[in-house]
Amino acid sequence: MDRTKTGIYIHIPFCRSKCPYCDFYSLASSECSEQYLTALCNELSDKKRLKEYTGEVEGIEIDTVYFGGGTPSLMTPYQLSRVLKAVRTGFDISSDCEITLECNPSSKGLSELLFAAADEGVNRISLGMQSSSDCERRLLGRRGGVSEVENAVKAAKKAGISNISLDVMIGVPDSNEDTVRASLDKAMELDAKHISAYILKIEEGTYYYKHRERYNFPDEDKTADMYLFMSEYLRNNGYIHYEISNFCRDGFHSRHNMKYWDGVPYLGFGPGAHSFFNGKRFYFPRDINAFISESPAVYDGDGGDEEEKILLSLRTFRGISLDKRSDSFIKKAELYEKYGYGKISDGNFSLTPEGYLISNTIISELLSVN
Amino acid sequence: MITKKEHIRNFSIIAHIDHGKSTLADRLLELTETVAKRDMQQQILDNMDIEKERGITIKARAVTLHYKANDGKEYELNLIDTPGHVDFNYEVSRSLAACEGAILIVDATQGVEAQTLANTYLALDHDLELVPVVNKIDLPAADPDRVCADVEEIIGLDCSIAPRVSAKTGENVAEVLEKIVEYIPCPEGDDDAPFKALVFDSVYDNYKGVIVYVRVMDGVLRPGDTMKMMATGAQFTVVEVGRMGATSLESASEIKAGEVGYITASIKSVVDARVGDTVTRADEPANEPLPGYKKANPMVFCGIYPADGADYESLREALEKLQLNDAALSFEPETSGALGFGFRCGFLGLLHLEIIQERLEREYDLDLVSTVPSVIYKIHLSDGSVVDIDNPTNYPDPAIIDFVEEPIADAHIYAPSEYVGTIMDLCQDRRGIFKNMDYIAGDRVDIHYVLPVNEIIYDFFDALKTRTRGYASFDYELTGYERSNLVKLDVLLNGDLIDALSYIIHSEKAYPRARKIAEKLKDNIPRQMFEIPVQIAIGGKVIARETIKAMRKDVLAKCYGGDITRKKKLLEKQKEGKKRMRQFGTVEVPQEAFMAILKLDGQD
């Protein structure tokens, strides 16, 4: 994996309807607005606003592109093609570039889009399965049944894209080990090369937050048990637990997402998209009109320092080297190992699944002794 | 020669909480143009934030109003505000002693309530003339006729003279001023007698030193005179005398018999000008002081520690500053194994304690950890010696204790008779011994109990208010010490003794209390990385235990499209949260856990 080339994130902030747990920036719409797309393409090819942060705008080499949302599969084949063309105009794109398209299995005309996407160089698909139970899917705001996911996977493979990631949500109301196992079995049956398994978090401002009393969310212990079960089950079935919320078959990690944890530069386009470049963090405000009217990106502090490195590295299975760490840091690491929260091998410290579960606490403790 | 001071009226306003005392005071200030309307902020007399928030008056205040009455004459009306809590009953009594009369406010929607009655009796104790005022007539539920009948029946006050007003809208408020002039007697005094004045408040000011608020009974005092405090014997040269405007002091050439005013004399601390003391002149002293002086002695003690040890000096300075203005506050350095360096502080009661804590935190921006409050116990050791203990940590080994005495109070609870049952249950539960019960007026009763002080300092007043829906009022006086069967409860977290949580309690209550403490700690100490046993022990014997389970989930699962700053902020927030925690060995305990133990609910 290239640890220097930049990744590109492209935000498509439209959804037919908002899912009750989601707090990403998106607007209700059944299509991707042309006006937005034009603004997006202009920024991708000219980088007018990013110049302030990137300095030199020519010759930025990229090896990942990630379409996230919102619902990128609301784009028409032509729109997708326009955006990728703008990417190619604006950046030096490597031949082995990973190009991921997030898709909602329920999007209309998905097969056609997938064929066109494959032609345009898209080689990885991320599908929001969330659960194999139609009942849980409805609870999570997913329109169609799991059969739609099955069809979407088939369509992707038919179009020649077999690097498929499926999202699974744990901590769903009324869920238990059995429902989690069923979803994982389904993901494996569909030959998912990658599984993103997020613990449901009730974010302020979401539907779930507003109506949290109505739902039977599993408690801290049950959720933790499900997470540990999932990790073990997937590892027993040949997946690598390579990041807190991500599992993959050997060689199929998300190269784009790894850039976040590895401290590699990335540029985000669209409202709410974040960037890290030349040691600076910045983002476009969560306001589509501001983006369209070319409001500038907002500086969000410097990044890439030692503190960040610790907090990001410990999210992954690679962990962090104990070389040159303070005695109290090492002592803490040893204590975590003793209690099963971490492991030390060859002078490297990484977290176990039990440790991932309480990583906020562990990381803040380690930062305080670093 | 004793003369009448026809143009002066000295009065206070008494009321049940929320019946509109401060609002009426504001209206009176406005009407007499003591405060310009544009300077008028709500409730000008309660100028501490805490007073405004809690709706109570902590410090007494005074203000002089100039009023031209319907008879065409100019009057000087001195309004002396009173504190409204049992912790400050002594201050109330001194304020009332400075007046000839009082306005009794009754809410037109509520009628006579507990404090209405308790305050009425306090006022009558001081022979004050009472002018009833029916307030809140603007409210739809107002029933002034019924309320007047109530007052006449229960208190026996003639309500035909009672102005019916709305302090909120200002309706009829002018009538209140007329009634003050008409019904409250003017003060009397002898300008030629030796100077004699009652201190009803004293406040430290950075520029002037202590400002001593007084009611002059006899004589005249001028700048340059040498004044003498009769209780402490301290002498000072008078720098300034004068009267109180609402927003500033107005200096004068003299203050004399009948008047309410202030004195400054470069006094360094309020300890030298305690409330209740008598001011006289050193060269021509009065024969005897005014009656009723009591030195306010702390009854409740707790350890106050800075959450961050580096703030120890700042805490000391803050306490020193507060003490300048609060003669009842005491403090001395102490150390705790669990909390490090701090101070043992003494207070009049729990409200006083809470107010001081809040002021330290707000006005001096200190993060504090405080220990469970305690009273002073007298421990008789087997060798015949006696030690006073105000800190459970210092409780001697039970093996060398002969017996223990605890402070006892004489308590009166005033309430409607329908609450007698629940009040007696509460007092019984607090080891009270019933003395007697009097029907004082209508269906009101005065229930007299003897109660151990340690049973009333934590949450007794709260429990009483809850049980009587706020209708009861409560008054107590320390009467002495009695032998009692007490034990010390120790709290162990993860096997380590947390000295700051030790607790002295009657042995019969030890078991249920221990279980409750263990539960509260379990509920209030957040889960940590490792399982933590909570044990409550007497001596070496564990009598209650709980387990705080290990934390299972504290993770930011999603990466939010590379929004790392969000994650960093979350960790920052977590770090801030940790600052409010206290590290005990391996266990972090938040301040709320201490508070939860302190406020163990009285209903159990």
Side-chain angles (χ1 to χ4, degrees), chain B residues 66-81:
Chain B
H66 299 281
Y67 176 60
K68 188 168 181 183
N70 292 344
D71 61 13
K73 291 183 198 151
E74 287 264 358
Y75 288 89
E76 179 182 317
L77 309 183
N78 295 307
L79 164 57
I80 298 172
D81 202 13

Side-chain angles (χ1 to χ4, degrees), chain A residues 16 30 37 93 114 151-152 199 202 209 267 279 318 325 368:
Chain A
R16 280 178 62 198
S30 54
L37 207 81
I93 187 163
L114 287 167
N151 292 337
I199 299 173
I202 311 300
Y209 184 82
L267 292 168
R318 282 204 293 266
R325 298 278 166 217
S368 69

Side-chain angles (χ1 to χ4, degrees), chain A residues 24-45:
Chain A
F24 284 105
Y25 180 71
S26 87
L27 305 164
S29 168
S30 54
E31 55 183 32
C32 176
S33 127
E34 273 297 313
Q35 206 190 1
Y36 172 67
L37 207 81
T38 303
L40 182 66
C41 290
N42 285 346
E43 189 59 35
L44 278 164
S45 46

Side-chain angles (χ1 to χ4, degrees), chain B residues 119-340:
Chain B
N119 288 324
T120 301
Y121 284 103
L122 259 176
L124 294 178
D125 276 351
H126 290 89
D127 288 330
L128 300 194
E129 193 63 45
L130 286 179
V131 176
V133 170
V134 179
N135 188 23
K136 301 198 186 179
I137 56 165
D138 57 306
L139 293 183
D143 187 353
D145 290 337
R146 181 188 67 80
V147 166
C148 281
D150 232 25
V151 173
E152 292 190 352
E153 189 204 317
I154 299 170
I155 304 181
L157 268 182
D158 177 10
C159 274
S160 64
I161 63 157
R164 299 178 177 194
V165 309
S166 165
K168 200 171 121 201
T169 66
E171 189 179 349
N172 278 343
V173 171
E175 208 186 320
V176 176
L177 292 166
E178 277 302 313
K179 300 292 179 200
I180 291 170
V181 171
E182 195 175 338
Y183 288 99
I184 293 179
C186 63
E188 296 175 351
D190 183 351
D191 290 348
D192 301 323
F195 185 76
K196 198 195 249 187
L198 171 69
V199 178
F200 63 84
D201 193 15
S202 58
V203 176
Y204 183 80
D205 177 274
N206 282 333
Y207 302 104
K208 295 175 189 279
V210 176
I211 301 169
V212 188
Y213 292 91
V214 295
R215 156 68 198 275
V216 185
M217 298 301 178
D218 287 316
V220 180
L221 188 73
R222 297 187 182 86
D225 289 347
T226 302
M227 64 184 259
K228 181 180 172 188
M229 307 305 304
M230 295 188 79
T232 63
Q235 299 193 6
F236 306 93
T237 304
V238 176
V239 174
E240 193 180 309
V241 298
R243 279 175 258 295
M244 284 75 67
T247 49
S248 64
L249 299 173
E250 292 154 9
S251 66
S253 57
E254 58 178 34
I255 46 172
K256 61 183 183 192
E259 293 178 350
V260 170
Y262 73 89
I263 307 168
T264 70
S266 303
I267 303 171
K268 298 273 182 310
S269 159
V270 289
V271 172
D272 287 325
R274 288 176 184 267
V275 171
D277 203 348
T278 303
V279 184
T280 190
R281 258 169 50 186
D283 55 346
E284 192 194 352
N287 290 335
E288 53 183 21
L290 294 160
Y293 174 73
K294 272 196 296 190
K295 183 169 174 257
N297 282 321
M299 288 181 71
V300 180
F301 295 82
C302 82
I304 295 187
Y305 292 81
D308 179 351
D311 286 337
Y312 176 78
E313 271 308 308
S314 319
L315 175 59
R316 191 173 55 78
E317 282 166 27
L319 283 166
E320 276 170 1
K321 279 189 188 149
L322 287 178
Q323 198 180 41
L324 285 178
N325 236 334
D326 187 343
L329 168 69
S330 71
F331 66 92
E332 58 186 48
E334 77 168 6
T335 26
S336 148
L339 298 171

